[in-house]
Amino acid sequence: NAGVTQTPKFQVLKTGQSMTLQCAQDMNHEYMSWYRQDPGMGLRLIHYSVGAGITDQGEVPNGYNVSRSTTEDFPLRLLSAAPSQTSVYFCASSKGAVGQPQHFGDGTRLSIL
Amino acid sequence: AQKITQTQPGMFVQEKEAVTLDCTYDTSDPSYGLFWYKQPSSGEMIFLIYQGSYDQQNATEGRYSLNFQKARKSANLVISASQLGDSAMYFCAMNSGGSYIPTFGRGTSLIVHP
């Protein structure tokens, strides 16, 4: 049982480049979300989805796009990478019900030069 | 809007002793859920314990218990009999208002000394 799978695990980009962070889950969870983790800042919500075809912005959405064409996949796109987007990115999924915790991927460590 | 505050950036505890990690929250919604997660140095996020706002009893899971004080809006994590493997970052999180996407606190770094 794979759970939540994120790829790649590490990535270095140059300023201005674009890329997509992949996230897939095999638990048939309706809710999926992307967080970024920066030292001393905890996890901040970038975008989330409550089901296929439905996405919404979180606390820090600028510079990122998402789409949810299937229940399983929730990719995060960086349109034009900036050094401020250097961070560790976590994808999470949940059943979207009372008491149900988030299931996290292993994270993607992204550096923007 | 909901808010989670963890005021202890770092905590130290002796092995086999108990430790309390503080978490306070703020929400105007009477229905909410509180979660604690552990993040070891390897980086993965591990769910530890959950407390619902209407739960009558404090949640417990093995060596973890949640000291839930609704009037004070606090949900402190108590780890009993600390082990070296408990050294990690600990995050408190909350969802409310019918949203099941949680807001996280900034975390507390726990170091367990032998």
Side-chain angles (χ1 to χ4, degrees):
Chain A
N1 193 356
V4 179
T5 302
Q6 286 184 239
T7 56
K9 293 191 185 303
F10 304 93
Q11 185 70 48
V12 179
L13 292 178
K14 294 181 179 178
T15 297
Q17 287 185 317
S18 62
M19 82 159 294
T20 299
L21 307 186
Q22 301 292 344
C23 177
Q25 53 94 5
D26 62 359
M27 296 172 283
N28 201 32
H29 285 168
E30 288 298 318
Y31 281 55
M32 295 187 74
S33 51
W34 278 101
Y35 294 87
R36 60 177 289 173
Q37 182 179 16
D38 303 292
M41 298 299 292
L43 277 76
R44 292 183 292 169
L45 182 66
I46 304 171
H47 285 284
Y48 66 97
S49 169
V50 300
I54 306 169
T55 63
D56 207 346
Q57 296 181 353
E59 179 186 357
V60 288
N62 292 342
Y64 308 95
N65 273 358
V66 293
S67 60
R68 184 97 180 270
S69 57
T70 68
T71 298
E72 293 78 19
D73 300 301
F74 191 44
L76 178 72
R77 282 180 286 277
L78 280 70
L79 307 174
S80 177
S84 61
Q85 293 178 305
T86 293
S87 188
V88 179
Y89 292 84
F90 285 97
C91 178
S93 73
S94 73
K95 289 184 180 179
V98 173
Q100 293 299 312
Q102 302 282 300
H103 296 255
F104 284 87
D106 289 338
T108 294
R109 187 173 295 273
L110 183 62
S111 294
I112 315 294
L113 304 178
Chain B
Q2 58 192 30
K3 186 177 180 181
I4 287 281
T5 303
Q6 294 181 256
T7 57
Q8 305 157 313
M11 290 285 287
F12 297 87
V13 66
Q14 199 79 21
E15 192 179 10
K16 299 180 185 177
E17 292 186 347
V19 62
T20 297
L21 306 183
D22 294 342
C23 173
T24 59
Y25 59 90
D26 190 22
T27 178
S28 57
D29 199 296
S31 176
Y32 51 88
L34 296 153
F35 302 81
W36 277 92
Y37 292 84
K38 173 184 178 182
Q39 186 182 41
S41 59
S42 51
E44 72 268 31
M45 294 287 290
I46 302 166
F47 165 68
L48 295 177
I49 196 167
Y50 166 80
Q51 179 84 44
S53 59
Y54 295 120
D55 293 344
Q56 294 297 313
Q57 294 187 325
N58 287 347
T60 61
E61 288 288 347
R63 293 187 298 111
Y64 304 109
S65 61
L66 207 152
N67 184 2
F68 181 46
Q69 298 188 40
K70 203 168 183 177
R72 294 186 175 185
K73 293 190 174 180
S74 73
N76 299 338
L77 177 70
V78 180
I79 305 174
S80 63
S82 297
Q83 302 173 355
L84 296 179
D86 293 333
S87 294
M89 283 290 291
Y90 289 82
F91 292 97
C92 182
M94 175 178 72
N95 56 25
S96 68
S99 169
Y100 298 112
I101 302 292
T103 298
F104 284 78
R106 297 192 173 195
T108 294
S109 174
L110 175 66
I111 296 176
V112 180
H113 288 299

